[in-house]
């Protein structure tokens, strides 16, 4: 609580002095009012941001400033994605290696790196980020709505892989957890 902080500060013979107030001259009341107003403003902003994100999710918008693996941000649709053909090809190859060649996540990452196929940021693939890419529904073009259902992301007509292929990925990853 603010008055406790002020008491602690004043207990050490210190004062809070700003151009607007001085706690030694009745400034505690003004400081309390300013803190209450700041708290109210913060709560209002938080509510607006939360409502905005809810609207974006309801409209199946992708909510990040960086495109996920296999995509690029749409120039035409705010919150929309487009498939990046070159990056999508790398993701599809990773999925093929993992599901059809039965490589481990680490083996898949190493194979991609050895072939000169890096992440969209030009970094080598690693097992853990590759696992996150595989488990994220956006790989299949899907975004999670507030009601827990998946729907196609704004701007897309399909994902980098099919929903069925994504299900296979999740099943393989889940089966390896049990081992």
């Amino acid at each position: 609580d603010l008055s406790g902080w002020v008491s602690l500060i004043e207990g050490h013979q210190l004062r809070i002095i700003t151009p607007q107030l001085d706690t030694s001259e009745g400034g505690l009341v003004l400081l309390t009012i300013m803190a209450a107003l700041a708290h109210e403003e913060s709560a209002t902003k938080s509510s607006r941001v939360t409502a905005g994100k809810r609207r974006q999710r309801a409209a199946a918008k992708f909510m990040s400033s960086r495109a996920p693996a296999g995509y690029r941000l749409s120039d035409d649709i705010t919150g929309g994605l487009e498939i990046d053909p070159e990056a999508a090809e790398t993701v599809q190859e990773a999925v093929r290696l993992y599901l059809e060649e039965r490589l481990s996540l680490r083996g898949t990452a190493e194979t991609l790196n050895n072939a000169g196929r890096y992440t969209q940021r030009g970094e080598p693939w690693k097992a853990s980020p590759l696992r996150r890419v595989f488990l994220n529904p956006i790989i299949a073009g899907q975004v999670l709505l507030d009601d827990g259902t998946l729907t196609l992301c704004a701007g897309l007509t399909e994902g980098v892989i099919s929903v069925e292929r994504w299900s296979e990925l999740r099943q393989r990853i889940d089966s390896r957890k049990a081992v």
Side-chain angles (χ1 to χ4, degrees), residues 10-96:
E10 289 176 344
H12 288 87
Q13 283 75 45
L14 300 172
R15 297 184 338 205
I16 299 173
I17 301 174
T18 72
Q20 294 85 17
L21 64 97
D22 181 343
T23 56
S24 68
E25 298 177 9
L28 179 57
V29 172
L30 184 56
L31 185 60
T32 303
I33 291 169
M34 290 170 64
L37 290 171
H39 175 76
E40 188 61 31
E41 183 179 347
S42 176
T44 300
K45 284 182 181 178
S46 177
S47 295
R48 287 182 183 152
V49 168
T50 299
K53 287 183 177 183
R54 191 175 297 119
R55 282 190 302 274
Q56 286 181 312
R57 282 192 301 273
K61 304 277 182 162
F62 180 74
M63 297 188 299
S64 178
S65 60
R66 198 170 75 213
Y71 299 95
R72 61 178 165 244
L73 299 177
S74 174
D75 291 331
D76 301 326
I77 301 170
T78 302
L81 294 175
E82 300 170 351
I83 291 178
D84 178 333
E86 186 178 328
E89 188 178 307
T90 297
V91 171
Q92 291 163 345
E93 176 63 5
V95 170
R96 187 193 71 74

Side-chain angles (χ1 to χ4, degrees), residues 7-178:
S7 296
L8 178 68
I9 290 168
E10 289 176 344
H12 288 87
Q13 283 75 45
L14 300 172
R15 297 184 338 205
I16 299 173
I17 301 174
T18 72
Q20 294 85 17
L21 64 97
D22 181 343
T23 56
S24 68
E25 298 177 9
L28 179 57
V29 172
L30 184 56
L31 185 60
T32 303
I33 291 169
M34 290 170 64
L37 290 171
H39 175 76
E40 188 61 31
E41 183 179 347
S42 176
T44 300
K45 284 182 181 178
S46 177
S47 295
R48 287 182 183 152
V49 168
T50 299
K53 287 183 177 183
R54 191 175 297 119
R55 282 190 302 274
Q56 286 181 312
R57 282 192 301 273
K61 304 277 182 162
F62 180 74
M63 297 188 299
S64 178
S65 60
R66 198 170 75 213
Y71 299 95
R72 61 178 165 244
L73 299 177
S74 174
D75 291 331
D76 301 326
I77 301 170
T78 302
L81 294 175
E82 300 170 351
I83 291 178
D84 178 333
E86 186 178 328
E89 188 178 307
T90 297
V91 171
Q92 291 163 345
E93 176 63 5
V95 170
R96 187 193 71 74
L97 291 167
Y98 186 72
L99 289 179
E100 295 172 20
E101 300 294 325
R102 308 299 288 176
L103 296 180
S104 65
L105 288 167
R106 181 175 285 127
T108 300
E110 288 173 0
T111 301
L112 291 172
N113 295 335
N114 291 340
R117 298 179 104 163
Y118 301 109
T119 68
Q120 284 170 252
R121 297 171 79 181
E123 298 171 354
W125 285 98
K126 295 180 182 165
S128 182
L130 188 59
R131 182 179 187 279
R132 282 193 301 273
V133 167
F134 285 175
L135 290 176
N136 191 334
I138 200 65
I139 194 173
Q142 304 291 304
V143 290
L144 187 65
L145 300 179
D146 284 344
D147 65 4
T149 60
L150 293 170
T151 190
L152 196 62
C153 181
L156 295 176
T157 56
E158 62 183 357
V160 170
I161 64 171
S162 69
V163 173
E164 294 78 17
R165 193 78 160 154
W166 179 58
S167 180
E168 290 176 51
L169 273 175
R170 290 189 353 251
Q171 287 174 358
R172 172 135 192 255
I173 290 170
D174 287 345
S175 73
R176 295 184 58 83
K177 278 190 226 172

